[in-house]
């Protein structure tokens, strides 16, 4: 509580969750998150800006695509440019000129993704910097200190993250741990499944009760010339697209699909990094639009039918459906046909 001119005033909560709709069959739900930098609708995919930027796209473009929250990475930001410089820029929002919401992690995932550069000790995790090869000791205290320097000092965000499930474990173990977690997490708090970004994984894990997701997948795969589409992906660097004058996806209204053909992107990919920029814009738009469609289906009480159509489009033949996804969906009463 705070006192203003002798009057006791309640302190505004840093995060409030409003459940808009819940699927009557599965554990899927649509929520509104009210945060200090605006509301976020869920389910939501959060693009990853490792060092205060998403590779291949500007913050203005990200905003124009309808993104209301993205990520920063404590380990990488703590290494370069470092917390002191970010403090001088009035936090990560000021440093990257982003007016909307940010989520930062603890840096712990780099114990997995940078395993060849790290050593786990009783003190913490000892890294060799990928930038200048200097040794860095990331202790729990140091991780919190860096996070406090990124717009977090006064934020007491009441939500839950499910971590450690995107490090290469078997999918059958993956989905069982996700649904076990959501079974025990409180209904009134947001549930964030860390490091998940494949389209099938997103749809299935929404059915299992998760609200928030993040992954470098859509931006990283774009840099290899792979464009995400409802039926999988297009490898635009392949020769088959040399004379293909259709957009990446005729039903997509992103700036890339409005202006660029597959043939143009194929030709550009060989000579100009602008191709990666165009594909990145499309891939982020694809992920955001997918989550918007999922949310709309939950609100209209049509989510099980949405999942069935999504799987038919993605895999065409039921024989090609991943067994883990079939089992996971059946566990929440969604039967694929």
């Amino acid at each position: 509580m705070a006192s203003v001119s002798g009057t006791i005033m309640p302190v505004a909560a840093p995060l409030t969750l409003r459940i808009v709709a819940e699927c009557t069959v599965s554990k899927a739900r649509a929520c509104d998150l009210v945060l200090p930098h605006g509301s976020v609708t869920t389910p939501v995919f959060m693009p990853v800006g490792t060092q205060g930027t998403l590779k291949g796209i500007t913050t203005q473009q990200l905003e124009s695509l309808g993104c209301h929250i993205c990520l920063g990475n404590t380990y990488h930001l703590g290494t370069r440019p470092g917390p002191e410089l970010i403090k001088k820029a009035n936090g990560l929002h000021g440093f990257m000129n982003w007016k909307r919401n940010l989520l930062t992690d603890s840096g712990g995932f780099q114990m997995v993704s940078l395993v060849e550069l790290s050593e786990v000790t009783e003190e913490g995790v000892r890294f060799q910097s990928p930038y200048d090869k200097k040794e860095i000791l990331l202790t729990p205290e140091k991780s919190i200190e860096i996070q406090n320097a990124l717009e977090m000092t006064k934020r007491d965000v009441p939500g839950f993250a499910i971590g450690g499930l995107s490090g290469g474990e078997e999918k059958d173990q993956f989905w069982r741990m996700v649904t076990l977690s959501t079974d025990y997490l409180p209904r009134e708090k947001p549930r964030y499944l860390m490091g998940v970004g494949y389209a099938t994984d997103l749809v299935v894990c929404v059915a299992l009760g998760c609200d928030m997701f993040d992954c470098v997948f859509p931006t990283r795969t774009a840099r290899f010339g792979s464009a995400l589409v409802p039926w999988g992906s297009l490898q635009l660097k392949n020769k088959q697209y040399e004379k293909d004058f259709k957009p990446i996806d005729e039903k997509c209204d992103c700036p890339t699909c409005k202006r660029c053909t597959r043939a143009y992107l194929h030709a550009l990919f060989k000579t100009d990094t602008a191709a990666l920029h165009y594909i990145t814009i499309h891939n982020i738009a694809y992920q955001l639009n997918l989550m918007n469609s999922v949310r709309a289906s939950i609100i209209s009480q049509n989510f099980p039918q949405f999942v069935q159509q999504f799987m038919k489009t993605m895999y065409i033949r039921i024989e090609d459906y991943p067994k883990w996804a079939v089992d996971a969906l059946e566990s929440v009463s969604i039967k694929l046909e």
Side-chain angles (χ1 to χ4, degrees):
M1 303 290 283
S3 176
V4 180
S5 300
T7 302
I8 301 297
M9 301 291 291
V11 177
L15 177 155
T16 57
L17 178 77
R18 183 173 72 91
I19 299 173
V20 176
E22 294 177 282
C23 176
T24 57
V25 176
S26 69
K27 294 195 282 183
R29 62 203 202 147
C31 305
D32 290 341
L33 282 174
V34 180
L35 297 166
H37 292 83
S39 294
V40 174
T41 58
T42 75
V44 62
F45 176 81
M46 303 176 287
V48 179
T50 303
Q51 291 180 290
T53 181
L54 268 74
K55 292 182 180 178
I57 188 171
T58 68
T59 53
Q60 290 82 2
Q61 289 169 326
L62 189 61
E63 186 174 324
S64 71
L65 291 176
C67 177
H68 289 271
I69 184 169
C70 63
L71 264 71
N73 182 276
T74 292
Y75 167 78
H76 288 289
L77 287 165
T79 304
R80 190 176 67 179
E84 293 305 318
L85 183 62
I86 295 175
K87 279 183 182 178
K88 291 179 180 177
N90 295 318
L92 189 53
H93 280 93
F95 183 72
M96 62 185 287
N97 192 27
W98 175 250
K99 302 293 190 296
R100 296 181 176 179
N101 297 288
L102 284 168
L103 187 152
T104 57
D105 66 3
S106 68
F109 180 71
Q110 277 62 50
M111 292 170 62
V112 176
S113 63
L114 298 177
V115 65
E116 73 280 0
L117 299 174
S118 66
E119 176 191 2
V120 180
T121 70
E122 287 294 323
E123 297 175 274
V125 185
R126 198 175 298 278
F127 291 99
Q128 184 184 68
S129 170
Y131 307 114
D132 58 14
K133 304 304 179 186
K134 289 182 179 178
E135 192 175 85
I136 304 162
L137 177 64
L138 187 64
T139 64
E141 294 80 6
K142 184 63 176 177
S143 172
I144 296 299
E145 178 188 335
I146 295 171
Q147 291 181 73
N148 283 341
L150 311 178
E151 196 61 357
M152 293 296 292
T153 305
K154 298 180 181 178
R155 303 297 183 219
D156 180 20
V157 179
F160 291 87
I162 304 169
L165 289 175
S166 55
E169 69 285 334
E170 292 294 325
K171 286 291 190 179
D172 191 58
Q173 297 175 357
F174 163 83
W175 79 261
R176 293 179 191 278
M177 289 307 300
V178 170
T179 199
L180 178 66
S181 299
T182 58
D183 279 346
Y184 284 94
L185 290 174
R187 175 178 176 271
E188 69 277 8
K189 300 290 182 66
R191 304 155 181 171
Y192 162 35
L193 181 57
M194 304 177 74
V196 170
Y198 295 143
T200 299
D201 296 17
L202 292 172
V203 172
V204 171
C205 291
V206 168
L208 299 181
C210 295
D211 306 308
M212 306 167 70
F213 308 87
D214 80 285
C215 190
V216 298
F217 170 67
T219 50
R220 179 171 289 169
T221 198
R223 297 196 291 275
F224 291 95
S226 182
L228 303 180
V229 288
W231 57 96
S233 63
L234 304 181
Q235 305 302 319
L236 291 173
K237 60 184 177 182
N238 291 352
K239 191 173 177 62
Q240 71 187 88
Y241 299 108
E242 185 178 30
K243 298 178 181 179
D244 188 339
F245 294 99
K246 294 191 293 293
I248 293 173
D249 180 359
E250 291 175 310
K251 294 183 179 179
C252 178
D253 63 355
C254 80
T256 298
C257 287
K258 286 181 177 178
R259 297 182 178 92
C260 304
T261 66
R262 299 172 183 179
Y264 174 71
L265 294 170
H266 171 82
L268 207 62
F269 189 83
K270 297 179 179 179
T271 59
D272 196 325
T273 56
L276 313 184
H277 171 78
Y278 285 126
I279 301 171
T280 297
I281 288 174
H282 168 79
N283 284 359
I284 292 295
Y286 170 82
Q287 300 285 86
L288 297 178
N289 290 335
L290 174 61
M291 291 291 95
N292 288 337
S293 298
V294 168
R295 176 183 169 88
S297 74
I298 297 170
I299 293 173
S300 64
Q301 291 300 329
N302 197 41
F303 179 68
Q305 292 80 7
F306 174 90
V307 175
Q308 290 167 348
Q309 187 57 54
F310 168 85
M311 295 295 285
K312 285 179 183 177
T313 304
M314 181 64 72
Y315 298 101
I316 302 176
R317 301 188 313 157
I318 197 166
E319 293 83 3
D320 296 329
Y321 291 2
K323 186 177 184 305
W324 75 268
V326 174
D327 292 343
L329 290 167
E330 282 189 352
S331 78
V332 286
S333 304
I334 298 179
K335 189 167 179 61
L336 300 176
E337 302 170 350

